[in-house]
Structures are given as structure tokens and as C-alpha cells.
Amino acid sequence: MIKDDALQSKPWWAPRIVPPEQAPTCCSLITDDAGFGVPSTFGGVIPTPAMERIANQGLRHDVLDRAVLADASRRR
């Protein structure tokens, strides 16, 4: 809590959020302006070994949501 005097102030930290014990681990990677078919993860010509390792160990989403105007897709 912040007071007028530093000696009267007390440090405060937000409570740590802890997921339930059985909660799944989730990792979401979002790239912008990469081109859907360009990374090797989706069969493209640019090697992306780190992304391939992650994709091979989990779920791979291959459905895009796109809009004609870039700002419209970023407002969600």
C-alpha cells in the first residue's frame, strides 16, 4: 500500500494465480505476416525446427481466421 511517506508504505504483491493440479499445459504461438504455407511446420520451404518440435508434441491448429482489413482481425 502506497502512503505519502516511504516509511509508512508497505510492499504489496498481487496473489499468485495457481492452476488446478490437473490443469493441462497450454502453449500458443502466434505469428504475424509469416504466410500460412511458408513455415516448414505447415509444409512450407522455410525451416522452422523449433516450431516443428513443439507442433509434433501437441495439437496443431491449421484453420485461419482472416479479414480483408488487418485492423478488423486484431480487434477481437
Side-chain angles (χ1 to χ4, degrees):
M1 175 143 308
I2 299 174
K3 301 286 185 182
D4 291 334
D5 186 358
L7 295 175
Q8 296 174 347
S9 298
K10 294 183 182 179
W12 180 84
W13 301 99
R16 185 173 180 203
I17 298 172
V18 180
E21 204 167 302
Q22 299 297 325
T25 301
C26 182
C27 176
S28 179
L29 299 176
I30 300 171
T31 59
D32 191 13
D33 296 332
F36 183 66
V38 176
S40 60
T41 311
F42 295 99
V45 295
I46 297 177
T48 52
M51 288 176 62
E52 284 184 44
R53 277 194 304 275
I54 293 169
N56 289 336
Q57 294 177 8
L59 181 64
R60 191 181 303 207
H61 293 282
D62 56 0
V63 178
L64 295 189
D65 182 20
R66 56 189 161 242
V68 177
L69 297 174
D71 67 332
S73 63
R74 292 188 174 121
R75 286 190 192 153
R76 294 178 194 200

mmCIF file with all atom_site columns, all heavy atoms in Angstrom, residues 5-28:
data_model
loop_
_atom_site.group_PDB
_atom_site.id
_atom_site.type_symbol
_atom_site.label_atom_id
_atom_site.label_alt_id
_atom_site.label_comp_id
_atom_site.label_asym_id
_atom_site.label_entity_id
_atom_site.label_seq_id
_atom_site.pdbx_PDB_ins_code
_atom_site.Cartn_x
_atom_site.Cartn_y
_atom_site.Cartn_z
_atom_site.occupancy
_atom_site.B_iso_or_equiv
_atom_site.pdbx_formal_charge
_atom_site.auth_seq_id
_atom_site.auth_comp_id
_atom_site.auth_asym_id
_atom_site.auth_atom_id
_atom_site.pdbx_PDB_model_num
ATOM 1   N N   . ASP A 1 5  ? 4.474  8.843   2.815   1.00 0.00 ? 5  ASP A N   1
ATOM 2   C CA  . ASP A 1 5  ? 5.849  8.684   3.277   1.00 0.00 ? 5  ASP A CA  1
ATOM 3   C C   . ASP A 1 5  ? 6.304  7.255   2.960   1.00 0.00 ? 5  ASP A C   1
ATOM 4   O O   . ASP A 1 5  ? 5.574  6.285   3.191   1.00 0.00 ? 5  ASP A O   1
ATOM 5   C CB  . ASP A 1 5  ? 5.899  8.941   4.784   1.00 0.00 ? 5  ASP A CB  1
ATOM 6   C CG  . ASP A 1 5  ? 7.305  8.931   5.342   1.00 0.00 ? 5  ASP A CG  1
ATOM 7   O OD1 . ASP A 1 5  ? 8.258  8.681   4.583   1.00 0.00 ? 5  ASP A OD1 1
ATOM 8   O OD2 . ASP A 1 5  ? 7.445  9.179   6.561   1.00 0.00 ? 5  ASP A OD2 1
ATOM 9   N N   . ALA A 1 6  ? 7.514  7.096   2.461   1.00 0.00 ? 6  ALA A N   1
ATOM 10  C CA  . ALA A 1 6  ? 8.019  5.777   2.096   1.00 0.00 ? 6  ALA A CA  1
ATOM 11  C C   . ALA A 1 6  ? 8.098  4.853   3.301   1.00 0.00 ? 6  ALA A C   1
ATOM 12  O O   . ALA A 1 6  ? 7.897  3.644   3.180   1.00 0.00 ? 6  ALA A O   1
ATOM 13  C CB  . ALA A 1 6  ? 9.396  5.901   1.439   1.00 0.00 ? 6  ALA A CB  1
ATOM 14  N N   . LEU A 1 7  ? 8.391  5.408   4.480   1.00 0.00 ? 7  LEU A N   1
ATOM 15  C CA  . LEU A 1 7  ? 8.488  4.573   5.676   1.00 0.00 ? 7  LEU A CA  1
ATOM 16  C C   . LEU A 1 7  ? 7.131  4.021   6.105   1.00 0.00 ? 7  LEU A C   1
ATOM 17  O O   . LEU A 1 7  ? 7.045  2.993   6.773   1.00 0.00 ? 7  LEU A O   1
ATOM 18  C CB  . LEU A 1 7  ? 9.124  5.375   6.824   1.00 0.00 ? 7  LEU A CB  1
ATOM 19  C CG  . LEU A 1 7  ? 10.584 5.801   6.585   1.00 0.00 ? 7  LEU A CG  1
ATOM 20  C CD1 . LEU A 1 7  ? 11.065 6.683   7.727   1.00 0.00 ? 7  LEU A CD1 1
ATOM 21  C CD2 . LEU A 1 7  ? 11.469 4.582   6.417   1.00 0.00 ? 7  LEU A CD2 1
ATOM 22  N N   . GLN A 1 8  ? 6.052  4.694   5.731   1.00 0.00 ? 8  GLN A N   1
ATOM 23  C CA  . GLN A 1 8  ? 4.710  4.229   6.077   1.00 0.00 ? 8  GLN A CA  1
ATOM 24  C C   . GLN A 1 8  ? 4.159  3.259   5.027   1.00 0.00 ? 8  GLN A C   1
ATOM 25  O O   . GLN A 1 8  ? 3.200  2.549   5.285   1.00 0.00 ? 8  GLN A O   1
ATOM 26  C CB  . GLN A 1 8  ? 3.758  5.421   6.207   1.00 0.00 ? 8  GLN A CB  1
ATOM 27  C CG  . GLN A 1 8  ? 4.095  6.353   7.323   1.00 0.00 ? 8  GLN A CG  1
ATOM 28  C CD  . GLN A 1 8  ? 3.197  7.586   7.302   1.00 0.00 ? 8  GLN A CD  1
ATOM 29  O OE1 . GLN A 1 8  ? 2.504  7.846   6.319   1.00 0.00 ? 8  GLN A OE1 1
ATOM 30  N NE2 . GLN A 1 8  ? 3.206  8.340   8.396   1.00 0.00 ? 8  GLN A NE2 1
ATOM 31  N N   . SER A 1 9  ? 4.767  3.246   3.845   1.00 0.00 ? 9  SER A N   1
ATOM 32  C CA  . SER A 1 9  ? 4.303  2.385   2.762   1.00 0.00 ? 9  SER A CA  1
ATOM 33  C C   . SER A 1 9  ? 4.687  0.930   3.030   1.00 0.00 ? 9  SER A C   1
ATOM 34  O O   . SER A 1 9  ? 5.703  0.647   3.666   1.00 0.00 ? 9  SER A O   1
ATOM 35  C CB  . SER A 1 9  ? 4.904  2.828   1.426   1.00 0.00 ? 9  SER A CB  1
ATOM 36  O OG  . SER A 1 9  ? 4.485  4.128   1.111   1.00 0.00 ? 9  SER A OG  1
ATOM 37  N N   . LYS A 1 10 ? 3.861  0.029   2.567   1.00 0.00 ? 10 LYS A N   1
ATOM 38  C CA  . LYS A 1 10 ? 4.136  -1.407  2.704   1.00 0.00 ? 10 LYS A CA  1
ATOM 39  C C   . LYS A 1 10 ? 4.118  -2.037  1.318   1.00 0.00 ? 10 LYS A C   1
ATOM 40  O O   . LYS A 1 10 ? 3.254  -1.720  0.500   1.00 0.00 ? 10 LYS A O   1
ATOM 41  C CB  . LYS A 1 10 ? 3.064  -2.075  3.571   1.00 0.00 ? 10 LYS A CB  1
ATOM 42  C CG  . LYS A 1 10 ? 3.086  -1.620  5.002   1.00 0.00 ? 10 LYS A CG  1
ATOM 43  C CD  . LYS A 1 10 ? 2.047  -2.368  5.805   1.00 0.00 ? 10 LYS A CD  1
ATOM 44  C CE  . LYS A 1 10 ? 2.045  -1.867  7.238   1.00 0.00 ? 10 LYS A CE  1
ATOM 45  N NZ  . LYS A 1 10 ? 1.045  -2.544  8.036   1.00 0.00 ? 10 LYS A NZ  1
ATOM 46  N N   . PRO A 1 11 ? 5.075  -2.922  1.045   1.00 0.00 ? 11 PRO A N   1
ATOM 47  C CA  . PRO A 1 11 ? 5.061  -3.579  -0.268  1.00 0.00 ? 11 PRO A CA  1
ATOM 48  C C   . PRO A 1 11 ? 3.823  -4.458  -0.405  1.00 0.00 ? 11 PRO A C   1
ATOM 49  O O   . PRO A 1 11 ? 3.350  -5.047  0.575   1.00 0.00 ? 11 PRO A O   1
ATOM 50  C CB  . PRO A 1 11 ? 6.340  -4.408  -0.272  1.00 0.00 ? 11 PRO A CB  1
ATOM 51  C CG  . PRO A 1 11 ? 6.742  -4.537  1.154   1.00 0.00 ? 11 PRO A CG  1
ATOM 52  C CD  . PRO A 1 11 ? 6.167  -3.377  1.895   1.00 0.00 ? 11 PRO A CD  1
ATOM 53  N N   . TRP A 1 12 ? 3.303  -4.523  -1.616  1.00 0.00 ? 12 TRP A N   1
ATOM 54  C CA  . TRP A 1 12 ? 2.135  -5.349  -1.880  1.00 0.00 ? 12 TRP A CA  1
ATOM 55  C C   . TRP A 1 12 ? 2.343  -6.066  -3.205  1.00 0.00 ? 12 TRP A C   1
ATOM 56  O O   . TRP A 1 12 ? 2.757  -5.477  -4.201  1.00 0.00 ? 12 TRP A O   1
ATOM 57  C CB  . TRP A 1 12 ? 0.872  -4.501  -1.972  1.00 0.00 ? 12 TRP A CB  1
ATOM 58  C CG  . TRP A 1 12 ? -0.359 -5.323  -2.236  1.00 0.00 ? 12 TRP A CG  1
ATOM 59  C CD1 . TRP A 1 12 ? -1.117 -5.968  -1.313  1.00 0.00 ? 12 TRP A CD1 1
ATOM 60  C CD2 . TRP A 1 12 ? -0.947 -5.599  -3.506  1.00 0.00 ? 12 TRP A CD2 1
ATOM 61  N NE1 . TRP A 1 12 ? -2.153 -6.627  -1.924  1.00 0.00 ? 12 TRP A NE1 1
ATOM 62  C CE2 . TRP A 1 12 ? -2.066 -6.420  -3.294  1.00 0.00 ? 12 TRP A CE2 1
ATOM 63  C CE3 . TRP A 1 12 ? -0.637 -5.251  -4.818  1.00 0.00 ? 12 TRP A CE3 1
ATOM 64  C CZ2 . TRP A 1 12 ? -2.868 -6.884  -4.318  1.00 0.00 ? 12 TRP A CZ2 1
ATOM 65  C CZ3 . TRP A 1 12 ? -1.435 -5.717  -5.835  1.00 0.00 ? 12 TRP A CZ3 1
ATOM 66  C CH2 . TRP A 1 12 ? -2.546 -6.524  -5.575  1.00 0.00 ? 12 TRP A CH2 1
ATOM 67  N N   . TRP A 1 13 ? 2.099  -7.327  -3.222  1.00 0.00 ? 13 TRP A N   1
ATOM 68  C CA  . TRP A 1 13 ? 2.196  -8.127  -4.443  1.00 0.00 ? 13 TRP A CA  1
ATOM 69  C C   . TRP A 1 13 ? 0.861  -8.788  -4.685  1.00 0.00 ? 13 TRP A C   1
ATOM 70  O O   . TRP A 1 13 ? 0.218  -9.262  -3.748  1.00 0.00 ? 13 TRP A O   1
ATOM 71  C CB  . TRP A 1 13 ? 3.284  -9.202  -4.313  1.00 0.00 ? 13 TRP A CB  1
ATOM 72  C CG  . TRP A 1 13 ? 4.628  -8.620  -4.045  1.00 0.00 ? 13 TRP A CG  1
ATOM 73  C CD1 . TRP A 1 13 ? 5.258  -8.511  -2.842  1.00 0.00 ? 13 TRP A CD1 1
ATOM 74  C CD2 . TRP A 1 13 ? 5.501  -8.024  -5.001  1.00 0.00 ? 13 TRP A CD2 1
ATOM 75  N NE1 . TRP A 1 13 ? 6.465  -7.900  -2.980  1.00 0.00 ? 13 TRP A NE1 1
ATOM 76  C CE2 . TRP A 1 13 ? 6.645  -7.585  -4.314  1.00 0.00 ? 13 TRP A CE2 1
ATOM 77  C CE3 . TRP A 1 13 ? 5.441  -7.806  -6.374  1.00 0.00 ? 13 TRP A CE3 1
ATOM 78  C CZ2 . TRP A 1 13 ? 7.705  -6.958  -4.935  1.00 0.00 ? 13 TRP A CZ2 1
ATOM 79  C CZ3 . TRP A 1 13 ? 6.513  -7.184  -6.991  1.00 0.00 ? 13 TRP A CZ3 1
ATOM 80  C CH2 . TRP A 1 13 ? 7.618  -6.769  -6.274  1.00 0.00 ? 13 TRP A CH2 1
ATOM 81  N N   . ALA A 1 14 ? 0.456  -8.819  -5.935  1.00 0.00 ? 14 ALA A N   1
ATOM 82  C CA  . ALA A 1 14 ? -0.800 -9.495  -6.280  1.00 0.00 ? 14 ALA A CA  1
ATOM 83  C C   . ALA A 1 14 ? -0.680 -10.974 -5.922  1.00 0.00 ? 14 ALA A C   1
ATOM 84  O O   . ALA A 1 14 ? 0.402  -11.563 -6.031  1.00 0.00 ? 14 ALA A O   1
ATOM 85  C CB  . ALA A 1 14 ? -1.074 -9.343  -7.771  1.00 0.00 ? 14 ALA A CB  1
ATOM 86  N N   . PRO A 1 15 ? -1.766 -11.587 -5.462  1.00 0.00 ? 15 PRO A N   1
ATOM 87  C CA  . PRO A 1 15 ? -1.717 -13.014 -5.128  1.00 0.00 ? 15 PRO A CA  1
ATOM 88  C C   . PRO A 1 15 ? -1.353 -13.835 -6.360  1.00 0.00 ? 15 PRO A C   1
ATOM 89  O O   . PRO A 1 15 ? -1.784 -13.539 -7.479  1.00 0.00 ? 15 PRO A O   1
ATOM 90  C CB  . PRO A 1 15 ? -3.136 -13.342 -4.668  1.00 0.00 ? 15 PRO A CB  1
ATOM 91  C CG  . PRO A 1 15 ? -3.862 -12.052 -4.560  1.00 0.00 ? 15 PRO A CG  1
ATOM 92  C CD  . PRO A 1 15 ? -3.073 -11.005 -5.248  1.00 0.00 ? 15 PRO A CD  1
ATOM 93  N N   . ARG A 1 16 ? -0.534 -14.833 -6.158  1.00 0.00 ? 16 ARG A N   1
ATOM 94  C CA  . ARG A 1 16 ? -0.116 -15.694 -7.266  1.00 0.00 ? 16 ARG A CA  1
ATOM 95  C C   . ARG A 1 16 ? -1.285 -16.577 -7.695  1.00 0.00 ? 16 ARG A C   1
ATOM 96  O O   . ARG A 1 16 ? -1.958 -17.191 -6.860  1.00 0.00 ? 16 ARG A O   1
ATOM 97  C CB  . ARG A 1 16 ? 1.053  -16.566 -6.826  1.00 0.00 ? 16 ARG A CB  1
ATOM 98  C CG  . ARG A 1 16 ? 1.601  -17.391 -7.931  1.00 0.00 ? 16 ARG A CG  1
ATOM 99  C CD  . ARG A 1 16 ? 2.847  -18.118 -7.513  1.00 0.00 ? 16 ARG A CD  1
ATOM 100 N NE  . ARG A 1 16 ? 3.318  -18.887 -8.649  1.00 0.00 ? 16 ARG A NE  1
ATOM 101 C CZ  . ARG A 1 16 ? 4.079  -19.930 -8.564  1.00 0.00 ? 16 ARG A CZ  1
ATOM 102 N NH1 . ARG A 1 16 ? 4.519  -20.326 -7.397  1.00 0.00 ? 16 ARG A NH1 1
ATOM 103 N NH2 . ARG A 1 16 ? 4.451  -20.576 -9.639  1.00 0.00 ? 16 ARG A NH2 1
ATOM 104 N N   . ILE A 1 17 ? -1.499 -16.625 -9.005  1.00 0.00 ? 17 ILE A N   1
ATOM 105 C CA  . ILE A 1 17 ? -2.562 -17.466 -9.555  1.00 0.00 ? 17 ILE A CA  1
ATOM 106 C C   . ILE A 1 17 ? -1.985 -18.845 -9.815  1.00 0.00 ? 17 ILE A C   1
ATOM 107 O O   . ILE A 1 17 ? -1.015 -18.989 -10.566 1.00 0.00 ? 17 ILE A O   1
ATOM 108 C CB  . ILE A 1 17 ? -3.131 -16.852 -10.849 1.00 0.00 ? 17 ILE A CB  1
ATOM 109 C CG1 . ILE A 1 17 ? -3.745 -15.491 -10.541 1.00 0.00 ? 17 ILE A CG1 1
ATOM 110 C CG2 . ILE A 1 17 ? -4.151 -17.784 -11.481 1.00 0.00 ? 17 ILE A CG2 1
ATOM 111 C CD1 . ILE A 1 17 ? -4.162 -14.721 -11.766 1.00 0.00 ? 17 ILE A CD1 1
ATOM 112 N N   . VAL A 1 18 ? -2.559 -19.834 -9.204  1.00 0.00 ? 18 VAL A N   1
ATOM 113 C CA  . VAL A 1 18 ? -2.082 -21.206 -9.346  1.00 0.00 ? 18 VAL A CA  1
ATOM 114 C C   . VAL A 1 18 ? -3.183 -22.030 -10.006 1.00 0.00 ? 18 VAL A C   1
ATOM 115 O O   . VAL A 1 18 ? -4.315 -22.069 -9.515  1.00 0.00 ? 18 VAL A O   1
ATOM 116 C CB  . VAL A 1 18 ? -1.722 -21.801 -7.966  1.00 0.00 ? 18 VAL A CB  1
ATOM 117 C CG1 . VAL A 1 18 ? -1.233 -23.224 -8.104  1.00 0.00 ? 18 VAL A CG1 1
ATOM 118 C CG2 . VAL A 1 18 ? -0.678 -20.933 -7.278  1.00 0.00 ? 18 VAL A CG2 1
ATOM 119 N N   . PRO A 1 19 ? -2.871 -22.693 -11.121 1.00 0.00 ? 19 PRO A N   1
ATOM 120 C CA  . PRO A 1 19 ? -3.893 -23.514 -11.783 1.00 0.00 ? 19 PRO A CA  1
ATOM 121 C C   . PRO A 1 19 ? -4.199 -24.766 -10.970 1.00 0.00 ? 19 PRO A C   1
ATOM 122 O O   . PRO A 1 19 ? -3.396 -25.192 -10.141 1.00 0.00 ? 19 PRO A O   1
ATOM 123 C CB  . PRO A 1 19 ? -3.242 -23.878 -13.121 1.00 0.00 ? 19 PRO A CB  1
ATOM 124 C CG  . PRO A 1 19 ? -1.780 -23.816 -12.852 1.00 0.00 ? 19 PRO A CG  1
ATOM 125 C CD  . PRO A 1 19 ? -1.585 -22.751 -11.821 1.00 0.00 ? 19 PRO A CD  1
ATOM 126 N N   . PRO A 1 20 ? -5.377 -25.361 -11.211 1.00 0.00 ? 20 PRO A N   1
ATOM 127 C CA  . PRO A 1 20 ? -5.689 -26.622 -10.531 1.00 0.00 ? 20 PRO A CA  1
ATOM 128 C C   . PRO A 1 20 ? -4.633 -27.679 -10.868 1.00 0.00 ? 20 PRO A C   1
ATOM 129 O O   . PRO A 1 20 ? -3.969 -27.617 -11.903 1.00 0.00 ? 20 PRO A O   1
ATOM 130 C CB  . PRO A 1 20 ? -7.047 -27.015 -11.118 1.00 0.00 ? 20 PRO A CB  1
ATOM 131 C CG  . PRO A 1 20 ? -7.616 -25.762 -11.683 1.00 0.00 ? 20 PRO A CG  1
ATOM 132 C CD  . PRO A 1 20 ? -6.452 -24.914 -12.078 1.00 0.00 ? 20 PRO A CD  1
ATOM 133 N N   . GLU A 1 21 ? -4.488 -28.649 -9.990  1.00 0.00 ? 21 GLU A N   1
ATOM 134 C CA  . GLU A 1 21 ? -3.436 -29.653 -10.148 1.00 0.00 ? 21 GLU A CA  1
ATOM 135 C C   . GLU A 1 21 ? -3.544 -30.437 -11.461 1.00 0.00 ? 21 GLU A C   1
ATOM 136 O O   . GLU A 1 21 ? -2.542 -30.791 -12.062 1.00 0.00 ? 21 GLU A O   1
ATOM 137 C CB  . GLU A 1 21 ? -3.485 -30.616 -8.963  1.00 0.00 ? 21 GLU A CB  1
ATOM 138 C CG  . GLU A 1 21 ? -2.157 -31.285 -8.716  1.00 0.00 ? 21 GLU A CG  1
ATOM 139 C CD  . GLU A 1 21 ? -2.130 -31.986 -7.387  1.00 0.00 ? 21 GLU A CD  1
ATOM 140 O OE1 . GLU A 1 21 ? -2.351 -31.314 -6.364  1.00 0.00 ? 21 GLU A OE1 1
ATOM 141 O OE2 . GLU A 1 21 ? -1.894 -33.203 -7.389  1.00 0.00 ? 21 GLU A OE2 1
ATOM 142 N N   . GLN A 1 22 ? -4.742 -30.691 -11.932 1.00 0.00 ? 22 GLN A N   1
ATOM 143 C CA  . GLN A 1 22 ? -4.937 -31.480 -13.156 1.00 0.00 ? 22 GLN A CA  1
ATOM 144 C C   . GLN A 1 22 ? -5.047 -30.612 -14.411 1.00 0.00 ? 22 GLN A C   1
ATOM 145 O O   . GLN A 1 22 ? -5.388 -31.108 -15.479 1.00 0.00 ? 22 GLN A O   1
ATOM 146 C CB  . GLN A 1 22 ? -6.186 -32.348 -13.013 1.00 0.00 ? 22 GLN A CB  1
ATOM 147 C CG  . GLN A 1 22 ? -6.121 -33.336 -11.872 1.00 0.00 ? 22 GLN A CG  1
ATOM 148 C CD  . GLN A 1 22 ? -5.009 -34.352 -12.061 1.00 0.00 ? 22 GLN A CD  1
ATOM 149 O OE1 . GLN A 1 22 ? -4.714 -34.769 -13.168 1.00 0.00 ? 22 GLN A OE1 1
ATOM 150 N NE2 . GLN A 1 22 ? -4.389 -34.736 -10.970 1.00 0.00 ? 22 GLN A NE2 1
ATOM 151 N N   . ALA A 1 23 ? -4.768 -29.321 -14.310 1.00 0.00 ? 23 ALA A N   1
ATOM 152 C CA  . ALA A 1 23 ? -4.910 -28.422 -15.463 1.00 0.00 ? 23 ALA A CA  1
ATOM 153 C C   . ALA A 1 23 ? -3.882 -28.782 -16.541 1.00 0.00 ? 23 ALA A C   1
ATOM 154 O O   . ALA A 1 23 ? -2.725 -29.093 -16.232 1.00 0.00 ? 23 ALA A O   1
ATOM 155 C CB  . ALA A 1 23 ? -4.722 -26.975 -15.035 1.00 0.00 ? 23 ALA A CB  1
ATOM 156 N N   . PRO A 1 24 ? -4.279 -28.760 -17.812 1.00 0.00 ? 24 PRO A N   1
ATOM 157 C CA  . PRO A 1 24 ? -3.344 -29.083 -18.893 1.00 0.00 ? 24 PRO A CA  1
ATOM 158 C C   . PRO A 1 24 ? -2.363 -27.929 -19.131 1.00 0.00 ? 24 PRO A C   1
ATOM 159 O O   . PRO A 1 24 ? -2.638 -26.774 -18.827 1.00 0.00 ? 24 PRO A O   1
ATOM 160 C CB  . PRO A 1 24 ? -4.251 -29.261 -20.120 1.00 0.00 ? 24 PRO A CB  1
ATOM 161 C CG  . PRO A 1 24 ? -5.440 -28.415 -19.813 1.00 0.00 ? 24 PRO A CG  1
ATOM 162 C CD  . PRO A 1 24 ? -5.615 -28.472 -18.315 1.00 0.00 ? 24 PRO A CD  1
ATOM 163 N N   . THR A 1 25 ? -1.210 -28.264 -19.670 1.00 0.00 ? 25 THR A N   1
ATOM 164 C CA  . THR A 1 25 ? -0.245 -27.249 -20.065 1.00 0.00 ? 25 THR A CA  1
ATOM 165 C C   . THR A 1 25 ? -0.614 -26.785 -21.464 1.00 0.00 ? 25 THR A C   1
ATOM 166 O O   . THR A 1 25 ? -0.856 -27.593 -22.353 1.00 0.00 ? 25 THR A O   1
ATOM 167 C CB  . THR A 1 25 ? 1.182  -27.840 -20.081 1.00 0.00 ? 25 THR A CB  1
ATOM 168 O OG1 . THR A 1 25 ? 1.459  -28.331 -18.778 1.00 0.00 ? 25 THR A OG1 1
ATOM 169 C CG2 . THR A 1 25 ? 2.197  -26.799 -20.474 1.00 0.00 ? 25 THR A CG2 1
ATOM 170 N N   . CYS A 1 26 ? -0.673 -25.498 -21.668 1.00 0.00 ? 26 CYS A N   1
ATOM 171 C CA  . CYS A 1 26 ? -1.080 -24.954 -22.955 1.00 0.00 ? 26 CYS A CA  1
ATOM 172 C C   . CYS A 1 26 ? -0.060 -23.932 -23.423 1.00 0.00 ? 26 CYS A C   1
ATOM 173 O O   . CYS A 1 26 ? 0.353  -23.060 -22.672 1.00 0.00 ? 26 CYS A O   1
ATOM 174 C CB  . CYS A 1 26 ? -2.456 -24.299 -22.823 1.00 0.00 ? 26 CYS A CB  1
ATOM 175 S SG  . CYS A 1 26 ? -3.062 -23.642 -24.377 1.00 0.00 ? 26 CYS A SG  1
ATOM 176 N N   . CYS A 1 27 ? 0.367  -24.053 -24.670 1.00 0.00 ? 27 CYS A N   1
ATOM 177 C CA  . CYS A 1 27 ? 1.310  -23.113 -25.270 1.00 0.00 ? 27 CYS A CA  1
ATOM 178 C C   . CYS A 1 27 ? 0.716  -22.668 -26.604 1.00 0.00 ? 27 CYS A C   1
ATOM 179 O O   . CYS A 1 27 ? 0.399  -23.490 -27.452 1.00 0.00 ? 27 CYS A O   1
ATOM 180 C CB  . CYS A 1 27 ? 2.662  -23.781 -25.481 1.00 0.00 ? 27 CYS A CB  1
ATOM 181 S SG  . CYS A 1 27 ? 3.856  -22.727 -26.322 1.00 0.00 ? 27 CYS A SG  1
ATOM 182 N N   . SER A 1 28 ? 0.564  -21.375 -26.783 1.00 0.00 ? 28 SER A N   1
ATOM 183 C CA  . SER A 1 28 ? 0.003  -20.853 -28.015 1.00 0.00 ? 28 SER A CA  1
ATOM 184 C C   . SER A 1 28 ? 1.013  -19.912 -28.655 1.00 0.00 ? 28 SER A C   1
ATOM 185 O O   . SER A 1 28 ? 1.442  -18.943 -28.039 1.00 0.00 ? 28 SER A O   1
ATOM 186 C CB  . SER A 1 28 ? -1.299 -20.113 -27.710 1.00 0.00 ? 28 SER A CB  1
ATOM 187 O OG  . SER A 1 28 ? -1.836 -19.584 -28.893 1.00 0.00 ? 28 SER A OG  1
#
